Amino acid sequence: LIHVRQSSTAPSNAGSATVAGLAPALAMLREFFFAGSRLDIIFAWAGIFVIIGQSVFSAYIKFAINGWYTSFYDLLQTSGAMLCSNVTALVDEAEEAKLTESRQKVWLGLVEFLRIVGPYAIFSPAARWLRSHWALRWRMCLMRSYMAGWDPNVAPVEGASQRLHEDTRMFSKGIETYLSVFLNSFCTLFAFTPILMDLGTKIAPPAWPSFAWLHAFGHSWMFASAALAAAVGLGVAMLAGSKLVGLEVANQRVEAELRRDLVILEADPGSISDSPAALAPSKSQPQSADPSPLRLRSGTLRSTTRLLPPAPHFERIWHSLNANYSSLYSNFFLLNLWLDCFDQAMVLAPYILVAPRLFADQCSERITLGTLVQTSNSFDKVFASLSVISENWGGINEWRSTLVRLRQFEEGQRLSATASSSRAAVSSGSGTPISDGQEAGEGMPMLPFGSSLASDRG
């Protein structure tokens, strides 16, 4: 049975996305971790431990590589200085032995790097494979739960098929992705904050007057610089992407309407295309002796009535789709412009703050190349961990819009259940069922977007 298309003219309720999104999120957590089958519950908690383990292991690998940077780049610096000092002089056996030893240390350093990253190169794909199955199981739990509460006797909420099919996938995938991202950032921050604080005790802030305020933070001036930069990045990103949730909700609504009408067009073209009078047989062509209707490849029968092309029906949807995507792309342009420019500026930030110490007047204030690379890497890891929200702000807003749509879907199911109970009570009390001729939605609660709880009958 194909429901007759209904227009969706109610305004989006995206303003309550943050508050309203918590309720379905908690319900979805309960559905997977406590209310599913025994196997699903075991898989749910095992997946959490795998995600946490991968985040901790990833932070440890970054920590080990950061320590490797110092020794390896210091080795390159001393080896290069040794070669430059002997470029014109005769090299005796002792100096040749030092050069040979230096080359061997460089190769051993590269082997040490492979030893550090080798286990993670094997563990990470396996963990991602398990995380993908973990997200799929969560999605299946949600779909079973929603399907169990689906009442076929009442009209579904707008875009119900897309919410059940696409939004559950986006929700579970978003949980799997951002849970891993946030845990990874937390573990990285936990590992690199002490390193950056320790480097702050060894390296003084820049002596330039414009950076004099950094002296107020003492030995934690590097961490304070990264934290303040991340706060600025997040604040501007939230301002530039403040409308993304509402735009995503509106865009998904139009996408759902387009997908639904295309499915109806494929299954029942007469519901979409105009139906003029049946085409009379041409005099120039003999009429077929077999008056039977046409048979499609799928085995269904189609009347010989000629239907007009369905393009006019989709003009309004195409216009809405184009307008929604134009607004969405404009907001993403502003967000990405800020993030890209800010990221490139932060790549240079540690070098601007620390690199002048390579050429300090006093030998006690000079740093080595290895220390510079370690400082840059540590600063980058701390800054990236603190700015993880701003870096993923576009995807987070898309996930929040999915929560809004799932909340509306759950609210529609709740209203459907309430209406079914009320109709059953009225029917049992009066003994008179609601007639088919009663207008849909008359005297009945309404679902979001103006869809009535009574089934539409074409």
Side-chain angles (χ1 to χ4, degrees):
L1 297 179
I2 302 174
H3 290 286
V4 178
R5 183 179 61 84
Q6 297 176 341
S7 61
S8 302
T9 57
S12 170
N13 195 19
S16 59
T18 303
V19 177
L22 295 177
L26 295 177
M28 295 165 192
L29 288 172
R30 183 179 64 251
E31 191 66 34
F32 188 39
F33 287 92
F34 301 101
S37 64
R38 180 176 300 179
L39 182 61
D40 287 336
I41 293 176
I42 293 175
F43 207 92
W45 288 103
I48 285 291
F49 285 114
V50 169
I51 294 176
I52 295 176
Q54 184 186 15
S55 300
V56 173
F57 190 37
S58 175
Y60 168 76
I61 294 297
K62 295 175 184 177
F63 176 82
I65 293 177
N66 185 265
W68 176 85
Y69 278 151
T70 304
S71 59
F72 186 74
Y73 280 93
D74 282 345
L75 177 61
L76 293 181
Q77 185 180 23
T78 56
S79 299
M82 187 182 303
L83 289 173
C84 290
S85 64
N86 292 280
V87 68
T88 59
L90 296 176
V91 181
D92 56 17
E93 294 183 359
E95 292 174 343
E96 181 65 28
K98 290 181 180 179
L99 290 175
T100 302
E101 182 183 2
S102 178
R103 294 189 186 97
Q104 290 178 350
K105 287 182 178 180
V106 170
W107 285 109
L108 290 176
L110 296 176
V111 173
E112 177 67 13
F113 178 82
L114 294 177
R115 187 191 65 81
I116 294 174
V117 302
Y120 187 76
I122 298 175
F123 174 75
S124 181
R128 287 199 297 266
W129 175 84
L130 187 61
R131 281 165 39 193
S132 299
H133 281 276
W134 181 77
L136 176 61
R137 279 187 174 270
W138 199 337
R139 180 192 179 191
M140 297 305 296
C141 285
L142 291 177
M143 292 184 68
R144 292 190 187 98
S145 175
Y146 290 150
M147 194 61 70
W150 189 301
D151 189 353
N153 299 302
V154 297
V157 68
E158 171 270 332
S161 59
Q162 185 189 24
R163 298 173 195 243
L164 186 63
H165 170 258
E166 186 68 16
D167 290 348
T168 54
R169 183 191 66 82
M170 294 175 62
F171 171 81
S172 60
K173 184 63 178 177
I175 284 287
E176 179 258 327
T177 300
Y178 295 118
L179 179 61
S180 176
V181 168
F182 290 139
L183 285 176
N184 198 352
S185 298
F186 175 78
C187 294
T188 302
L189 186 65
F190 182 79
F192 279 86
T193 297
I195 298 177
L196 205 59
M197 298 288 285
D198 181 64
L199 289 171
T201 63
K202 301 176 182 178
I203 306 174
W208 302 326
S210 56
F211 291 98
W213 57 274
L214 289 175
H215 292 269
F217 295 99
H219 296 323
S220 61
W221 70 272
M222 286 190 185
F223 179 82
S225 301
L228 290 174
V232 172
L234 176 59
V236 178
M238 293 179 66
L239 183 63
S242 59
K243 298 180 180 180
L244 287 179
V245 174
L247 292 174
E248 286 284 358
V249 172
N251 191 57
Q252 291 173 11
R253 182 183 299 117
V254 179
E255 288 281 7
E257 184 179 3
L258 175 62
R259 181 183 292 108
R260 179 196 60 204
D261 286 3
L262 289 174
V263 171
I264 295 176
L265 176 64
E266 182 181 8
D268 186 13
S271 300
I272 300 296
S273 300
D274 293 333
S275 303
L279 187 65
S282 175
K283 296 181 179 180
S284 60
Q285 297 179 355
Q287 185 173 359
S288 173
D290 185 8
S292 61
L294 300 177
R295 182 173 298 275
L296 303 179
R297 286 181 297 176
S298 61
T300 59
L301 298 178
R302 175 180 292 181
S303 173
T304 55
T305 301
R306 175 66 68 87
L307 299 176
L308 297 178
H313 172 84
F314 291 94
E315 288 293 340
R316 179 189 59 82
I317 300 179
W318 291 339
H319 177 75
S320 300
L321 202 65
N322 182 70
N324 286 350
Y325 271 111
S326 297
S327 300
L328 193 65
Y329 293 158
S330 297
N331 280 264
F332 267 115
F333 171 77
L334 295 176
L335 177 63
N336 292 330
L337 179 64
W338 162 250
L339 291 177
D340 289 345
C341 294
F342 191 66
D343 286 345
Q344 298 307 315
M346 294 312 299
V347 170
L348 298 176
Y351 294 99
I352 295 175
L353 296 175
V354 179
R357 293 296 175 182
L358 284 171
F359 319 101
D361 296 333
Q362 299 181 8
C363 294
S364 60
E365 295 182 357
R366 293 176 186 172
I367 62 174
T368 63
L369 179 62
T371 302
L372 174 62
V373 174
Q374 184 188 29
T375 302
S376 174
N377 183 65
S378 301
F379 186 92
D380 176 70
K381 292 296 186 292
V382 172
F383 170 75
S385 299
L386 292 173
S387 59
V388 63
I389 297 179
S390 60
E391 289 294 327
N392 296 277
W393 191 244
I396 291 173
N397 280 312
E398 184 178 359
W399 184 75
R400 289 171 61 203
S401 68
T402 300
L403 283 182
V404 172
R405 288 178 57 80
L406 289 177
R407 177 189 63 83
Q408 294 168 347
F409 182 77
E410 291 180 350
E411 181 66 14
Q413 284 195 323
R414 186 187 65 80
L415 292 176
S416 298
T418 303
S420 297
S421 300
S422 301
R423 294 180 65 180
V426 171
S427 177
S428 60
S430 61
T432 304
I434 297 178
S435 63
D436 289 345
Q438 184 173 352
E439 184 178 356
E442 182 179 350
M444 298 182 185
M446 302 292 289
L447 290 176
F449 310 106
S451 301
S452 66
L453 285 171
S455 300
D456 291 325
R457 294 176 173 84

